[in-house]
Amino acid sequence: MLYDTIGRKESEWAGMTASQIRDVGEQPGSVLVIPVGSVEQHGDHLPVVTDTLLVEAMVDTAVDQLDDVPVVVTPPVWSGFSPHHLSFGGTLSLEFAHLRATLEDIAHAGIQNGFDAVLFVNGHGGNSSLIDAVVSTVGADTDAEVLGTTYFQLASDRIKEIRTTETGGMAHGGEFETSLMLTLRPDLVGDPAVRDGEPMDEHYRWGGQDLLDGGNVAVYRSFDEYSSSGAIGTPKQASAETGERIRSVIGEELAALMTAIHEHNA
């Protein structure tokens, strides 16, 4: 529960006083980090909060590695743009324009505390184009530098060396997300008997094949066209060991990005 966990980290916006937030924001090269997730179905073996939980954990892992970087992390934006998951139930989705406006408002309000840069860290594929748009709309209206990244694409080349599945195995609820959940919250992962995922079967070879291969052609499909369970990929090949290696790699890359942003804006 939030009331039992807020304020455990020095960089948490929610656990700081207003003056503490301003003190960090006024430091040279200060960075405001906004994690953006989703609450949506992830098959029968992962909880609906998976995307939000994982993006917050990846940001936390990165912040723990920073050295003298003034950074504050907002509470995660937990609802994403997920109309393609609604047919399975369990999904809470915002309209595109509503989520865009929410992220713009959060960024603008945060910048007023003196931050020199804002970094949106996205944890849901369906948010990617929206994050790109918000980087432009917010960036055009502020003097702060505005950036965005989707964490599972940030270190894709390094993760390809870690994966045990072929392309398609790290799709929605597949080896990637299940491995990270086994590392972070194994109590929320269903036993192997319910870790069912179907092979990624996108008609167009230019389309996305899994989380590490987003493709060059965007196409809308409801998830029930891909999978009867709501999961795509190979979750049965997931392991906590793979998850820990992925977490380490992403933490390093994200920390390096935050450091570079700080240095550029100091």
Side-chain angles (χ1 to χ4, degrees), residues 4-226:
D4 192 41
T5 58
I6 284 176
R8 307 242 174 168
K9 298 282 187 176
E10 292 183 358
S11 59
E12 290 179 44
W13 177 292
M16 302 170 70
T17 66
S19 59
Q20 288 173 330
I21 292 169
R22 291 196 304 271
D23 286 345
V24 177
E26 291 167 1
Q27 295 181 43
S30 59
V31 183
L32 177 66
V33 180
I34 305 174
V36 187
S38 180
V39 169
E40 64 187 36
Q41 69 82 26
H42 274 74
D44 295 326
H45 66 289
L46 292 179
V48 295
V49 76
T50 292
D51 287 348
T52 301
L53 187 154
L54 292 183
V55 70
E56 186 176 39
M58 295 306 102
V59 168
D60 185 48
T61 300
V63 170
D64 282 345
Q65 299 181 33
L66 297 179
D67 184 19
D68 294 327
V69 175
V71 60
V72 175
V73 181
T74 72
V77 179
W78 56 262
S79 186
F81 181 62
S82 307
H84 46 305
H85 291 281
L86 289 170
S87 61
F88 283 99
T91 297
L92 301 174
S93 180
L94 291 176
E95 293 292 335
F96 189 96
H98 296 166
L99 180 56
R100 186 188 70 188
T102 297
L103 296 179
E104 290 170 345
D105 287 349
I106 291 171
H108 283 302
I111 290 168
Q112 291 183 25
N113 290 269
F115 288 93
D116 295 318
V118 177
L119 173 64
F120 291 97
V121 181
N122 175 41
H124 166 52
N127 293 340
S128 296
S129 59
L130 189 149
I131 294 293
D132 290 343
V134 170
V135 166
S136 294
T137 58
V138 175
D141 291 335
T142 180
D143 292 332
E145 185 172 59
V146 184
L147 307 95
T149 187
T150 297
Y151 81 83
F152 48 78
Q153 296 174 346
L154 188 62
S156 57
D157 288 343
R158 296 178 64 186
I159 296 171
K160 286 177 182 178
E161 300 174 0
I162 297 172
R163 69 186 304 165
T164 66
T165 58
E166 299 298 323
T167 298
M170 282 189 164
H172 184 73
E175 181 193 14
F176 182 96
E177 292 179 310
T178 306
S179 291
L180 281 174
M181 288 296 291
L182 285 170
T183 294
L184 295 162
R185 288 297 303 272
D187 56 308
L188 297 180
V189 181
D191 63 45
V194 298
R195 292 180 203 169
D196 292 325
E198 298 176 30
M200 185 70 180
D201 185 19
E202 171 51 55
H203 173 75
Y204 299 105
R205 63 182 176 86
W206 303 274
Q209 301 304 315
D210 66 17
L211 295 180
L212 304 188
D213 182 4
N216 299 309
V217 171
V219 55
Y220 178 83
R221 299 194 195 285
S222 175
F223 250 61
D224 54 17
E225 295 184 46
Y226 288 120

